[in-house]
Amino acid sequence: MTSNIPSERNFFEMRFFWKMMFEYFILWVFFMVNYFYLIPQFYFNKKYIFYFISVIGFILMYLNLPGIIIEWLPFESMNRSFGSKDRGMRRFPIYLIWTSKILIFTCTSFVALFLRNNKRFQEVKEEKQMSEIAYLRSQINPHFLFNTLNNIYALTLQKSDAAPDAVLKLSKMMRFMVSESSKDEIDLQQDLEYLKNYIQLQKMRLADTSTIQFSIQGATNGLKIAPLLLINYIENAFKYGVIDEVEHPIVIQIFIEDDQLLLEVKNKISDHELRADEKSMTGLMNVKKRLDYLYANRYDLKINETKDFYEVKLNLKLND
């Protein structure tokens, strides 16, 4: 009696086996392209039309290309050895075959999306932590802390009524950095109070405070914002800008309307040569990455830099 079970050699010559191998290969290619290119370039950037067109293209390739390739290859031995069994498989309902393939493809797509989203979340979380650490270090470094303490000391010698207020502002800043900066979102009013304290402490070292123009227009109305987004652009103006020219003041303006926030910062660029560590732009790069992740398609950042002036305009939609 002749067995209907094909030999191992014949099995690897079968049309079914090689078609399955080509299908798995296309699935693997799709997973890699989806994970490393389609999701970061299209899905994360809200280009959903391009993303789904690309996915549909891979689906069509997955469903049709293996069969087309198989037609080019010789399988006479398979037809002889597998005969009746192969014909039985051909009678299997085609819609069930396609449904199972689309289900496998969909699962592969969702697995890639889940893994990439998780990776992105971890990257942003690490970048946020690094940004917080870097910013905390910048705020308590000797240049900021010593200048502030010296100014407070001078106020105490003069028995100035401003000394207690300066100590309170510094204390609030330190408390904010310790307790609030690690949160995903905080009240916008808290963030603005932090900016006010920072600017007031910076003004303490100036003979003429008119060289810094700071204004806030609009009501916060319970709006929330990710911490440490605005301060970096303001700090940048003090670090790289001229702070003692009445003709070219540092201008910091914040406009709030409904759930829209607009930050404008303009300063004249200082000729003072900074040390290598002071020139680091890591903080601004980290903020840009956080904006891309937290406020994708909800912000507009324009930076205009000339030989003499540096200007930043950040338009932020706070509610999703």
Side-chain angles (χ1 to χ4, degrees), residues 81-133:
S81 63
F82 201 54
S84 61
K85 190 170 180 119
D86 184 51
R87 287 193 297 271
M89 291 184 65
R90 288 175 184 163
R91 291 195 298 268
F92 199 76
I94 189 66
Y95 71 90
L96 291 180
I97 297 175
W98 278 53
T99 300
S100 63
K101 289 182 178 180
I102 292 176
L103 180 61
I104 293 172
F105 188 92
T106 303
C107 290
T108 303
S109 179
F110 277 114
V111 168
L113 188 59
F114 172 79
L115 293 176
R116 189 68 196 192
N117 262 320
N118 186 64
K119 184 175 184 295
R120 190 187 189 204
F121 174 78
Q122 294 300 325
E123 289 175 347
V124 172
K125 185 177 180 180
E126 291 175 2
E127 288 167 359
K128 180 174 179 288
Q129 290 173 343
M130 293 301 295
S131 176
E132 291 166 0
I133 293 171

Side-chain angles (χ1 to χ4, degrees), residues 98-316:
W98 278 53
T99 300
S100 63
K101 289 182 178 180
I102 292 176
L103 180 61
I104 293 172
F105 188 92
T106 303
C107 290
T108 303
S109 179
F110 277 114
V111 168
L113 188 59
F114 172 79
L115 293 176
R116 189 68 196 192
N117 262 320
N118 186 64
K119 184 175 184 295
R120 190 187 189 204
F121 174 78
Q122 294 300 325
E123 289 175 347
V124 172
K125 185 177 180 180
E126 291 175 2
E127 288 167 359
K128 180 174 179 288
Q129 290 173 343
M130 293 301 295
S131 176
E132 291 166 0
I133 293 171
Y135 187 74
L136 178 58
R137 289 176 61 186
S138 73
Q139 290 306 296
I140 61 176
N141 69 51
H143 299 286
F144 176 81
L145 191 57
F146 287 170
N147 284 338
T148 302
L149 291 176
N150 283 336
N151 289 330
I152 293 175
Y153 177 68
L155 291 175
T156 58
L157 290 179
Q158 299 168 10
K159 302 187 183 303
S160 172
D161 295 336
D165 186 55
V167 173
L168 183 61
K169 284 180 170 57
L170 182 60
S171 174
K172 287 182 178 179
M173 288 187 66
M174 296 299 102
R175 186 181 301 112
F176 178 91
M177 291 302 303
V178 171
S179 62
E180 303 296 329
S181 64
S182 61
K183 296 180 180 179
D184 292 333
E185 281 190 330
I186 60 172
D187 289 336
L188 177 59
Q189 185 61 41
Q190 285 183 284
D191 202 66
L192 296 182
E193 287 297 326
Y194 180 77
L195 300 183
K196 292 176 184 177
N197 290 332
Y198 176 83
I199 292 171
Q200 287 298 322
L201 291 177
Q202 290 287 359
K203 283 184 175 182
M204 287 174 54
R205 58 192 174 112
L206 300 175
D208 188 349
T209 58
S210 65
T211 59
I212 300 175
Q213 298 179 6
F214 175 60
S215 64
I216 299 175
Q217 298 181 27
T220 57
N221 294 326
L223 294 171
K224 293 185 177 296
I225 189 173
L228 304 181
L229 285 178
L230 307 181
I231 184 62
N232 285 272
Y233 298 107
I234 295 173
E235 180 193 28
N236 196 56
F238 285 98
K239 182 180 289 186
Y240 299 102
V242 176
I243 62 174
D244 55 0
E245 289 186 7
V246 177
E247 299 81 6
H248 302 106
I250 293 177
V251 180
I252 303 166
Q253 296 177 304
I254 297 175
F255 304 92
I256 306 166
E257 185 175 355
D258 297 328
D259 63 349
Q260 297 282 340
L261 182 145
L262 173 62
L263 169 68
E264 295 184 352
V265 182
K266 184 176 181 180
N267 62 273
K268 183 180 179 182
I269 299 174
S270 174
D271 295 330
H272 176 64
E273 187 68 23
L274 297 176
R275 301 195 316 270
D277 61 329
E278 291 179 319
K279 293 180 180 179
S280 173
M281 302 295 285
T282 302
L284 294 183
M285 290 188 292
N286 284 340
V287 172
K288 178 64 168 60
K289 291 178 181 179
R290 290 180 63 203
L291 284 170
D292 289 335
Y293 180 73
L294 298 171
Y295 296 94
N297 287 345
R298 291 195 287 139
Y299 82 93
D300 180 48
L301 176 63
K302 295 180 180 177
I303 297 178
N304 181 32
E305 183 175 4
T306 65
K307 179 182 178 182
D308 298 318
F309 291 93
Y310 190 89
E311 185 175 10
V312 175
K313 289 186 179 181
L314 173 62
N315 200 323
L316 200 60

Side-chain angles (χ1 to χ4, degrees), residues 38-53:
L38 297 181
I39 295 174
Q41 294 297 320
F42 296 147
Y43 189 85
F44 286 163
N45 292 321
K46 308 293 184 181
K47 298 178 181 179
Y48 297 126
I49 294 178
F50 294 103
Y51 178 74
F52 286 116
I53 288 175

